[in-house]
Amino acid sequence: MSFFLEVLLGGTLAGVMYSLVAIGFVLIYRASGVFNFAQGSLVLFAALTFVNLTERGIPFVVAFIVTLFVIFILVLLIDALILKHLINRSVITLFMATLGLSYVIEGLSQTVWGTQVHGLDLGISDTPISLFGIMVSKFDLFATAIAGGLVIILSLLFSKTRFGIALRAVADDPLAAQSVGIKLNKIWILVWSVAGLVALVAGLLWGARLGVQFSLSLVVLKALPVLIIGGFTSISGAIIAGLIVGATEKLAEIYLGSIIGSGIENWFPYVLAILFLMIRPTGLFGQQQVVRV
């Protein structure tokens, strides 16, 4: 029983890493109604920028602030060159724009920072510790605490501020929001900037575990089942779905791997996501869209 609990808890905590990436997608989707395929590339760009600054002797806090500033400049360029020209365009047009943007950001990252793999040490070792008699990863506990704090801050931002009210208005009806004076491009800049902050945090945690390399942008594939299960519009749903995906994939690998074969944790979350699409397409916390005819 203790082994089962260790696998369950370890998988649940590891799922927080998926949730951090998924939150960035949720933010963009709530503002524009589009799946931002460039979020994975933004995670890579943020992590590469940070690690290259620290390797040049810049202190952690200063490197973090400078990276945020660089991301904000990148967001301003994205808005000026792309987003402001796509206001009120179709969802598929926005999606294709983010798909192309992802390759541009990856190419820019390679041009500026090179292609070599970087190690990243956050000072938190991935060693097991005993928690009520159950062995869990110290790094996973650290990531859970970071994600929890981030979710609380974002929840307060979207529920207690004028920005949050404006974002909900844009998500409900962009044209009506514009008619009452809400500037859509400014909302997009703010949302993309917040998504950039989330991408930086996710990039640091994933980079510390896997190394900062170009495959880091593929974490977008891990976030997709989380988004489907949790719902594309819910931050809390992304967190809960990440925990579910992390726990079920580890349990499946341990208890079904010997029967079906190893590597089941790589595709089991997608089976779970397909089941949700058939039973509850909006996910656990997604909003049911009502179309008036």
Side-chain angles (χ1 to χ4, degrees):
M1 186 62 180
S2 61
F3 177 72
F4 171 81
L5 291 176
E6 285 183 8
V7 175
L8 178 63
L9 184 58
T12 301
L13 295 178
V16 175
M17 301 281 284
Y18 306 151
S19 299
L20 281 174
V21 180
I23 288 174
F25 289 96
V26 170
L27 293 173
I28 303 299
Y29 189 87
R30 289 181 63 166
S32 60
V34 67
F35 179 79
N36 176 29
F37 202 85
Q39 185 66 21
S41 299
L42 198 58
V43 170
L44 169 66
F45 179 82
L48 273 175
T49 302
F50 176 87
V51 76
N52 275 276
L53 290 175
T54 55
E55 287 179 351
R56 286 163 171 76
I58 298 177
F60 182 96
V61 175
V62 177
F64 191 90
I65 295 174
V66 171
T67 303
L68 283 180
F69 179 75
V70 172
I71 291 174
F72 181 68
I73 297 299
L74 178 63
V75 169
L76 291 179
L77 290 174
I78 291 172
D79 176 72
L81 299 177
I82 301 174
L83 296 182
K84 68 182 301 183
H85 303 289
L86 298 178
I87 292 177
N88 297 328
R89 297 294 182 89
S90 65
V91 171
I92 188 63
T93 300
L94 289 169
F95 172 75
M96 294 304 296
T98 65
L99 180 60
L101 182 61
S102 68
Y103 289 100
V104 172
I105 294 176
E106 285 193 28
L108 178 64
S109 303
Q110 183 174 353
T111 301
V112 175
W113 301 121
T115 59
Q116 64 271 25
V117 179
H118 301 268
L120 179 58
D121 183 12
L122 298 180
I124 306 295
S125 60
D126 195 7
T127 55
I129 60 173
S130 178
L131 183 65
F132 302 110
I134 301 174
M135 302 303 293
V136 296
S137 168
K138 183 189 298 184
F139 186 86
D140 288 342
L141 289 175
F142 172 76
T144 301
I146 294 296
L150 200 57
V151 168
I152 292 173
I153 293 173
L154 292 176
S155 298
L156 292 175
L157 177 66
F158 293 132
S159 62
K160 303 295 184 181
T161 65
R162 292 175 62 88
F163 167 65
I165 296 173
L167 176 59
R168 293 199 299 272
V170 170
D172 290 338
D173 193 329
L175 291 177
Q178 284 182 287
S179 68
V180 297
I182 297 176
K183 297 186 181 300
L184 196 57
N185 65 313
K186 289 186 177 180
I187 292 295
W188 280 4
I189 289 174
L190 290 173
V191 169
W192 275 74
S193 298
V194 176
L197 168 62
V198 175
L200 174 56
V201 175
L204 295 184
L205 293 176
W206 276 97
R209 170 160 285 178
L210 303 177
V212 180
Q213 52 188 313
F214 276 80
S215 61
L216 202 60
S217 62
L218 298 179
V219 297
V220 61
L221 301 178
K222 279 292 189 180
L224 185 56
V226 176
L227 290 167
I228 293 174
I229 295 172
F232 279 78
T233 59
S234 174
I235 294 176
S236 57
I239 291 293
I240 295 175
L243 302 181
I244 293 174
V245 168
T248 53
E249 72 174 9
K250 294 301 181 184
L251 290 173
E253 179 68 23
I254 295 298
Y255 293 101
L256 297 180
S258 58
I259 301 174
I260 301 177
S262 60
I264 187 174
E265 66 177 327
N266 294 324
W267 54 263
F268 187 80
Y270 296 95
V271 174
L272 201 61
I274 291 173
L275 292 176
F276 265 85
L277 285 174
M278 293 189 295
I279 299 172
R280 188 178 175 84
T282 58
L284 291 174
F285 298 92
Q287 297 177 354
Q288 185 74 40
Q289 293 188 353
V290 178
V291 179
R292 293 180 175 87
V293 295

